[in-house]
């Protein structure tokens, strides 16, 4: 079977309840499958277990009865990949490697969410260490030091890209010369292709048909999934400190990228070339990747809270729903509840909100505290939310057993 056809066949796996194997969930589209979730959240959500953990902004992955997360140990300094038992929180295995953060800003720990596929777990550390481990026991399968091997650049706040698995290949934003994006064979770690000469930002690459879309500090760009050849690019201006953080999203035939400083640019493809549908500061994103549904995007703006925008026109339908505290770095993780119009939002104080999102308005459906202050993306699996901060990781059931 031609590789291109095989890749397209595995692009959109069916959604099933139980696992959260990578950044933004099973299909990297922030959709949680939680059968039996109540219509509203209770005021209190007791934890099933809590365990201490080191620092990090990285998200959590859950597959079967195993949880995977990264943290940083200060003495002796090391990044760690931890595997915990989903039911008890007890450590199943730990893999660590030495690292030196030096003066890395916001240097509490790794930023990536582990990617778990076929008994392998792939991680990318803040200082550019790419690892493939046996998900069952933590045994090292292969590793690449992208800074030493490829002279990769480290962004101001460390690498944040979560590895993208695509049909036997692992794609990572490395930040090397002629290798902003690089593809590695998942089985061996061998370099398959390298693409783009853009500087590294903080977003993760996104699958889109036979392309990979990526948001760098200078462009919204697409490359071929199989060979990494550039297909098209649209320039971005005014981004400082490399803060292209939020992932690219697509809805109603429009591809959207947005940043903290210069706002948004939404494009359509005409004859396989990008044309601007709209642009401006009606949406200025920081870290939070928006939700899309139908013809609309729901996103946390730098200034005006959660808002709803018509994707085709850029028209703001409503705004100023402040689901997370107002400050210069507003952050919350947003996920849909299946194919409904309900969403779960984990904000910076680590309050879990349930809301209904429609083009007309936001409807609150309850709020409960989960853990302390966090920017890390949670996992929704096995009827629970798994969340972490710099001190502990918790499991909180959302569905009655």
């Amino acid at each position: 079977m031609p590789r291109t056809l095989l890749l397209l066949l595995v692009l959109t796996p069916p959604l099933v309840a139980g696992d959260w194997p990578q950044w933004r969930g099973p299909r990297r589209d922030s959709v949680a499958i939680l059968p039996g979730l109540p219509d509203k959240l209770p005021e209190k959500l007791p934890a099933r277990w809590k365990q201490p953990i080191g620092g990090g902004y990285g998200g959590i992955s859950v597959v079967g009865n195993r949880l995977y997360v990264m943290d940083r140990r200060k003495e002796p300094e090391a990044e760690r990949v931890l595997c915990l038992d989903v039911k008890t929180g007890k450590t199943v295995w730990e893999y660590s490697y030495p690292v030196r953060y030096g003066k890395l800003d916001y240097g509490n720990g790794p930023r990536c969410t582990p990617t778990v596929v076929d008994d392998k777990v792939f991680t990318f550390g803040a200082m550019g260490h790419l690892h493939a481990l046996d998900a069952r026991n933590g045994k090292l399968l292969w590793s690449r030091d992208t800074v030493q091997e490829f002279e990769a650049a480290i962004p101001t706040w460390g690498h944040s890209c979560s590895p993208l698995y695509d049909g036997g290949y692992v794609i990572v934003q490395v930040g090397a010369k002629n290798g902003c994006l690089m593809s590695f064979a998942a089985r061996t770690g061998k370099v398959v292709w390298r693409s783009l000469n853009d500087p590294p930002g903080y977003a993760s690459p996104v699958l889109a048909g036979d392309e990979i879309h990526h948001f760098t500090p200078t462009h919204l760009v697409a490359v071929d999934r199989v060979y990494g050849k550039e297909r098209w690019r649209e320039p971005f201006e005014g981004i400082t400190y490399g803060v292209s953080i939020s992932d690219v999203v697509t809805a109603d035939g429009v591809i959207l990228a947005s940043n903290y400083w210069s706002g948004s640019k939404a494009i359509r493809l005409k004859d396989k070339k990008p044309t601007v549908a709209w642009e401006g500061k009606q949406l200025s994103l920081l870290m939070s990747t928006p939700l899309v549904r139908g013809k609309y995007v729901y996103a946390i703006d730098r200034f005006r809270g959660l808002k709803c925008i018509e994707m085709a026109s850029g028209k703001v339908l409503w705004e100023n729903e402040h689901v997370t505290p107002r400050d210069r770095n507003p952050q919350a993780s947003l996920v849909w509840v299946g194919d409904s119009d309900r969403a779960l939002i984990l904000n910076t104080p680590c309050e879990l909100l349930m809301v209904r999102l429609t083009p007309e308005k936001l409807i609150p459906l309850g709020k409960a505290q989960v853990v302390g202050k966090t920017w890390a993306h949670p996992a929704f699996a096995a009827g629970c939310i798994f969340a972490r901060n710099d001190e502990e990781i918790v499991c909180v059931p959302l569905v009655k057993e």
Side-chain angles (χ1 to χ4, degrees):
M1 178 182 294
R3 184 181 162 202
T4 302
L5 177 57
L6 178 60
L7 288 174
L8 291 175
L9 288 174
V10 300
L11 173 62
T12 309
L15 278 177
V16 295
D19 291 344
W20 192 271
Q22 60 183 332
W23 166 241
R24 299 184 68 217
R27 299 192 306 207
R28 293 173 83 106
D29 60 357
S30 293
V31 177
I33 304 302
L34 295 165
L37 184 70
D39 294 335
K40 294 185 177 181
L41 283 183
E43 293 183 0
K44 293 184 178 181
L45 289 170
R48 175 180 293 165
W49 54 257
K50 298 181 180 182
Q51 292 290 348
I53 195 173
Y57 298 117
I60 299 165
S61 297
V62 176
V63 174
N65 61 351
R66 296 289 182 261
L67 176 154
Y68 305 89
V69 68
M70 296 186 73
D71 76 353
R72 173 173 168 256
R73 183 180 63 205
K74 293 183 179 180
E75 296 292 340
E77 189 176 12
E79 287 185 334
R80 302 191 301 175
V81 184
L82 304 175
C83 175
L84 308 182
D85 185 280
V86 165
K87 293 183 179 180
T88 65
K90 293 182 178 180
T91 301
V92 177
W93 56 256
E94 167 188 325
Y95 178 84
S96 65
Y97 53 93
V99 68
R100 293 185 63 184
Y101 275 32
K103 296 182 179 180
L104 182 70
D105 205 8
Y106 287 84
N108 60 340
R111 289 91 157 99
C112 119
T113 300
T115 299
V116 187
V117 182
D118 296 335
D119 291 328
K120 297 181 180 68
V121 55
F122 303 97
T123 63
F124 192 48
M127 306 305 288
H129 297 90
L130 178 63
H131 285 86
L133 307 174
D134 189 315
R136 297 165 295 186
N137 53 33
K139 179 183 177 181
L140 176 65
L141 302 176
W142 55 263
S143 66
R144 307 300 299 253
D145 184 336
T146 62
V147 174
Q148 291 295 320
E149 295 183 58
F150 311 117
E151 299 182 349
I154 299 173
T156 301
W157 292 287
H159 282 290
S160 300
C161 171
S162 295
L164 171 64
Y165 180 87
D166 187 21
Y169 304 89
V170 179
I171 296 96
V172 182
Q173 179 193 253
V174 168
K177 184 178 181 180
N178 297 317
C180 178
L181 285 181
M182 293 183 65
S183 174
F184 301 85
R187 188 174 63 85
T188 64
K190 180 181 177 181
V191 175
V192 178
W193 53 256
R194 49 196 301 167
S195 184
L196 308 181
N197 205 27
D198 289 33
Y202 304 91
S204 295
V206 176
L207 293 181
D210 62 350
E211 297 178 337
I212 294 172
H213 293 171
H214 189 54
F215 184 28
T216 80
T218 54
H219 295 90
L220 169 57
V221 62
V223 301
D224 179 89
R225 284 176 66 178
V226 178
Y227 304 108
K229 182 179 179 181
E230 184 178 316
R231 292 277 188 86
W232 53 262
R233 63 171 50 215
E234 177 66 29
F236 254 83
E237 297 179 355
I239 297 178
T240 60
Y241 302 106
V243 289
S244 54
I245 304 177
S246 177
D247 288 0
V248 179
V249 295
T250 301
D252 199 24
V254 177
I255 305 165
L256 172 68
S258 180
N259 75 95
Y260 189 84
W261 299 105
S262 58
S264 298
K265 186 172 284 191
I267 69 165
R268 294 184 184 274
L269 296 182
K270 184 176 182 180
D271 298 327
K272 299 183 179 181
K273 294 182 180 180
T275 60
V276 176
W278 55 269
E279 60 184 316
K281 292 189 176 181
Q282 59 266 63
L283 177 61
S284 298
L285 296 177
L286 182 56
M287 293 176 284
S288 180
T289 295
L291 294 179
V292 294
R293 183 61 58 84
K295 299 180 179 181
Y296 308 99
V297 59
Y298 302 87
I300 294 180
D301 184 77
R302 173 185 177 184
F303 300 107
R304 294 177 292 277
L306 185 64
K307 58 172 53 179
C308 176
I309 293 178
E310 184 179 65
M311 195 63 145
S313 66
K315 180 182 178 181
V316 177
L317 302 183
W318 53 258
E319 60 185 2
N320 291 315
E321 293 287 356
H322 292 282
V323 296
T324 195
R326 302 176 69 172
D327 61 28
R328 67 175 186 170
N329 296 319
Q331 161 61 8
S333 299
L334 315 174
V335 301
W336 290 115
V337 178
D339 60 0
S340 74
D341 60 3
R342 287 187 299 162
L344 293 168
I345 301 173
L346 189 71
N347 64 16
T348 296
C350 212
E351 300 165 322
L352 182 66
L353 289 69
M354 182 187 289
V355 298
R356 177 163 283 118
L357 298 177
T358 74
E360 291 75 34
K361 59 184 176 180
L362 176 150
I363 303 172
L365 297 173
K367 177 172 70 174
Q369 189 70 42
V370 176
V371 69
K373 182 179 179 180
T374 186
W375 280 351
H377 203 278
F380 294 89
C384 303
I385 179 175
F386 299 85
R388 58 86 59 90
N389 58 19
D390 286 342
E391 298 177 352
E392 63 181 351
I393 184 169
V394 302
C395 169
V396 177
L398 300 177
V399 177
K400 288 186 178 180
E401 299 182 84

